[in-house]
């Protein structure tokens, strides 16, 4: 009898695998996660055992970068494969209203048209294109947040100087710090946490063992049910499942047990050079409002809200590390559910973040700049047919534009066959050559990864603020011609701007040439 059971399980498993001619794809998209990951070494106290384990099973790209370092345009670019320089989508608008991107075939639409079951939960697109997905799960919701009886509001413990940033960016507290918002002339006030997508119904929380589930927790459990359903149906169609995890996006609110992992008194703050911003040009070129960037406002507001700068940074970094650990647990659940399913041996897993995040470096506390902590992202690709390279790393610069063509390549489709307005749609390049040989010299992509943020002065691509990150150097060119150049071999913190150094003219010219070439390609 025992032998018969084993034989039956073997037949069921192999039948399932052979019924699917194409590999499945599980894409895990984290939000605002920088290099605070164990295998990337961004913070010595980061606890990410599950992401680290996935890296040991796949290939880790240690020099991967977002093309636009803020949620909406970043996701629009890697989910369509269209460069932001070409779409001119580098700001905060709805990508579905962009003339070019509205005509593009998104990644799930391409796979859906090829017979894939497309499944989505959480935050994948910033503004979701519903027809792209066959099955949709948990709604996007950043909460819970404090509530004043009418709308979201900063937590009562939020520093006064951060409150103008809104409920999300000004909130970095444990679920155990239950907010109690007092009434005002215009609002009735409210006690407890609330979620917008629930119709502002209360989020139940007594303690970590007696509470409602957060959006990311719901998404991972929902994903498990989808895998179980596909098994029950003995589905022959392959699936593309994209799960978007909100954390560590603000509000940095997670259960108390994650804060307990990082005692406040032992938190290590980033190494910060006091006069680091003196040779930088972001503020001089970011005049959309009053001349101070949002990240600088957030930093100033945080520091002024505590007795010392060290305490302020410790409080915020504790919340960020806790949120990263929470997100890592969700990654672990997703991988565990997949590994226990019949699809484990036939599923490509891709993990990425939409962009990074600054945590005090250069007196900046946010995203949307062109420096390393904000542009650099975790990127792991686990492809079953390349498991011989498990645990290896690639240090060649790549960008999130390369995600779409990589998935097409790994699933057996022609990367160049997809057209948009008479031109190839995909501006990135498949990373499959690196999966075959992590030291390959035959990759067709550029030698530097491009990132863009808006200048707010022009709609011309060349008049935006631009950066390219090579293997060793980062070059930044602002709309007015100001430049920054950093040598990551000697200066990993980007403290010393070498743009005016005659000794580095050749390096600057080479990177400028790569930048200009990318500008020409997308015209």
């Amino acid at each position: 009898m025992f032998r018969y059971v084993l034989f039956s399980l073997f037949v069921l498993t192999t039948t399932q695998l052979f019924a699917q001619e194409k590999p499945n794809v599980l894409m895990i998209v984290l939000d605002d996660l920088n290099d605070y990951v164990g295998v990337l070494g961004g913070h010595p106290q980061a606890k990410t055992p599950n992401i680290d384990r996935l890296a040991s099973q796949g290939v880790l790209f240690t020099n991967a970068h977002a093309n636009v370092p803020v949620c909406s345009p970043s996701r629009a670019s890697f989910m369509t494969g269209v460069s932001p320089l070409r779409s001119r989508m580098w700001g905060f608008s709805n990508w579905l209203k962009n003339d070019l991107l509205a005509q593009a075939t998104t990644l799930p639409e391409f796979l859906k048209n090829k017979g894939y079951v497309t499944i989505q939960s959480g935050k994948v697109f910033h503004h979701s294109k519903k027809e792209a997905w066959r099955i949709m799960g948990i709604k996007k919701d950043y909460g819970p947040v404090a509530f004043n009886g009418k709308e979201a509001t900063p937590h009562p413990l939020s520093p006064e100087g951060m409150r103008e940033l809104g409920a999300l960016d000004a909130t970095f507290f444990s679920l155990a710090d239950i907010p109690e918002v007092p009434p005002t002339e215009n609002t009735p006030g409210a006690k407890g946490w609330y979620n917008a997508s629930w119709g502002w119904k209360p989020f139940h929380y007594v303690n970590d063992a007696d509470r409602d589930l957060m959006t990311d927790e719901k998404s991972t459990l929902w994903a498990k049910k989808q895998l179980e359903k596909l098994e029950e149906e003995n589905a022959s169609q392959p699936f593309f499942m994209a799960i978007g995890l909100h954390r560590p996006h603000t509000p940095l609110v997670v259960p108390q047990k994650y804060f307990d992992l990082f005692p406040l008194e032992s938190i290590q703050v980033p190494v910060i050079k006091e006069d680091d911003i003196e040779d930088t040009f972001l503020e001089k070129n970011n005049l959309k409002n009053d001349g101070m960037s949002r990240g600088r406002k957030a930093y100033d507001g945080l520091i002024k809200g505590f007795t010392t700068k060290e305490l302020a940074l410790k409080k915020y970094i504790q919340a960020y590390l806790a949120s990263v650990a929470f997100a890592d647990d969700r990654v672990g659940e997703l991988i565990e559910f997949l590994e226990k399913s019949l699809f484990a041996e036939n599923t490509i897993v891709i993990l990425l973040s939409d962009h990074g995040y600054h945590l005090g470096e250069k007196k900046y506390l946010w995203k949307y700049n062109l420096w390393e902590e904000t542009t650099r992202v975790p990127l792991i690709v686990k492809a079953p047919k390349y498991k011989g390279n498990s645990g290896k790393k690639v240090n060649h610069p790549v960008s999130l534009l390369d995600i779409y063509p990589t998935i097409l390549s790994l699933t057996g489709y022609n990367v160049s066959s997809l057209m948009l307005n008479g031109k190839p749609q995909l501006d990135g390049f498949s990373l499959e050559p690196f999966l075959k040989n992590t030291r390959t010299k035959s990759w067709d992509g550029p030698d530097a990864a491009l990132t863009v943020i808006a200048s707010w002065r022009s709609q011309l691509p060349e008049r935006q603020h631009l950066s390219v990150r090579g293997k060793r150097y980062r070059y930044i060119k602002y709309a007015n011609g100001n430049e920054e150049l950093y040598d990551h071999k000697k200066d990993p913190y980007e403290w010393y701007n070498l743009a005016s150094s005659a000794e580095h003219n050749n390096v600057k010219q080479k990177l400028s040439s790569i930048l200009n070439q990318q500008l020409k390609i997308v015209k």
Side-chain angles (χ1 to χ4, degrees), residues 324-479:
V324 172
F326 171 84
D328 182 75
D329 271 359
R330 309 289 76 77
V331 171
E333 289 175 345
L334 289 169
I335 300 303
E336 179 185 358
F337 299 153
L338 176 64
E339 290 176 342
K340 290 182 177 179
S341 77
L342 298 177
F343 310 107
E345 299 302 318
N346 192 37
T347 300
I348 299 159
V349 180
I350 297 182
L351 179 144
L352 63 138
S353 174
D354 56 355
H355 50 76
Y357 203 87
H358 262 65
L359 289 158
E361 305 89 349
K362 288 181 165 52
K363 296 185 177 181
Y364 199 92
L365 191 77
W366 201 51
K367 47 216 174 188
Y368 212 61
N369 63 61
L370 298 173
W371 300 309
E372 186 81 354
E373 287 300 316
T374 286
T375 74
R376 189 182 182 211
V377 296
L379 175 58
I380 301 169
V381 181
K382 177 187 175 184
K385 69 177 181 177
Y386 296 119
K387 61 183 178 181
N389 281 331
S390 295
K392 292 187 177 180
K393 300 178 180 180
V394 173
N395 65 3
H396 192 287
V398 300
S399 84
L400 294 184
L401 273 178
D402 303 321
I403 296 295
Y404 196 149
T406 298
I407 290 177
L408 263 58
S409 177
L410 290 174
T411 51
Y413 296 108
N414 187 343
V415 171
S416 62
S417 65
L418 187 59
M419 305 298 289
L420 177 63
N421 287 351
K423 296 181 180 180
Q425 177 175 311
L426 303 183
D427 293 318
F429 297 83
S430 171
L431 300 174
E432 188 167 6
F434 289 118
L435 303 179
K436 293 178 182 178
N437 176 4
T438 55
R439 297 184 178 182
T440 187
K441 303 293 184 182
S442 61
W443 191 55
D444 294 330
D447 289 332
L450 179 137
T451 304
V452 56
I453 62 174
S455 68
W456 313 114
R457 299 174 179 178
S458 170
Q459 276 296 302
L460 295 175
E462 63 269 24
R463 293 292 310 280
Q464 307 313 308
H465 306 323
L466 304 162
S467 170
V468 283
R469 173 66 157 90
K471 285 186 178 181
R472 177 171 173 175
Y473 293 91
R474 171 183 299 280
Y475 172 66
I476 298 173
K477 184 176 182 180
Y478 293 95

Side-chain angles (χ1 to χ4, degrees), residues 74-294:
S74 174
R75 291 163 187 264
S77 64
F78 69 71
M79 292 297 284
T80 63
V82 178
S83 168
L85 295 184
R86 183 175 165 197
S87 68
R88 305 190 182 195
M89 176 70 185
W90 43 58
F92 301 88
S93 57
N94 185 338
W95 72 276
L96 291 170
K97 297 180 180 179
N98 179 280
D99 290 341
L100 184 66
L101 295 181
Q103 302 174 59
T105 302
T106 65
L107 175 56
E109 285 177 305
F110 181 95
L111 293 174
K112 184 179 179 182
N113 293 338
K114 297 296 184 181
Y116 272 73
V117 179
T118 53
I119 305 167
Q120 177 264 335
S121 187
K123 181 182 174 183
V124 180
F125 290 103
H126 193 74
H127 299 92
S128 190
K129 191 175 186 180
K130 293 183 179 179
E131 58 267 30
W133 307 102
R134 187 172 298 180
I135 304 171
M136 296 186 71
I138 308 303
K139 290 182 180 179
K140 179 180 76 172
D141 194 304
Y142 296 100
V145 293
F147 185 58
N148 65 14
K150 290 187 176 181
E151 61 185 5
T153 190
H155 194 287
L157 296 177
S158 299
E160 185 64 32
M162 295 184 74
R163 297 178 70 83
E164 67 173 283
L165 302 174
L168 299 189
D169 290 343
T171 302
F172 48 102
F173 305 102
S174 161
L175 276 176
D177 296 316
I178 300 173
E180 186 167 358
V181 180
T184 66
E185 290 184 7
N186 301 314
T187 62
K191 181 178 180 179
W193 297 103
Y194 286 76
N195 280 77
S197 68
W198 300 6
W200 291 118
K201 292 180 180 179
F203 178 94
H204 175 73
Y205 181 87
V206 176
N207 54 49
D208 282 5
D210 183 5
R211 64 178 177 86
D212 284 330
L213 294 179
M214 297 179 67
T215 302
D216 291 345
E217 294 170 312
K218 290 182 177 182
S219 281
T220 53
L221 292 175
W222 182 86
K224 178 185 179 183
K225 291 180 180 179
Q226 298 310 306
L227 291 172
E228 291 172 344
K229 185 177 180 181
L230 289 168
E231 285 181 326
E232 292 169 2
E233 295 173 350
N234 196 26
S236 60
Q237 288 180 282
F239 63 79
F240 170 58
M241 180 181 289
I243 305 297
L245 300 177
H246 292 72
R247 295 299 179 265
H249 193 290
T250 55
L252 301 178
V253 175
V254 293
Q256 179 62 38
K257 71 174 184 177
Y258 294 101
F259 279 77
D260 292 341
L261 294 173
F262 308 98
L264 186 64
E265 62 275 10
S266 64
I267 293 292
Q268 297 182 36
V269 300
V271 181
I272 298 174
K273 183 172 177 280
E274 190 58 35
D275 62 347
D276 191 19
I277 63 173
E278 297 303 318
D279 58 357
T280 65
F281 298 98
L282 177 66
E283 299 301 318
K284 298 179 181 66
N285 282 277
N286 195 10
L287 302 178
K288 184 181 180 183
N289 296 311
D290 58 4
M292 181 180 286
S293 66
R294 185 178 181 88

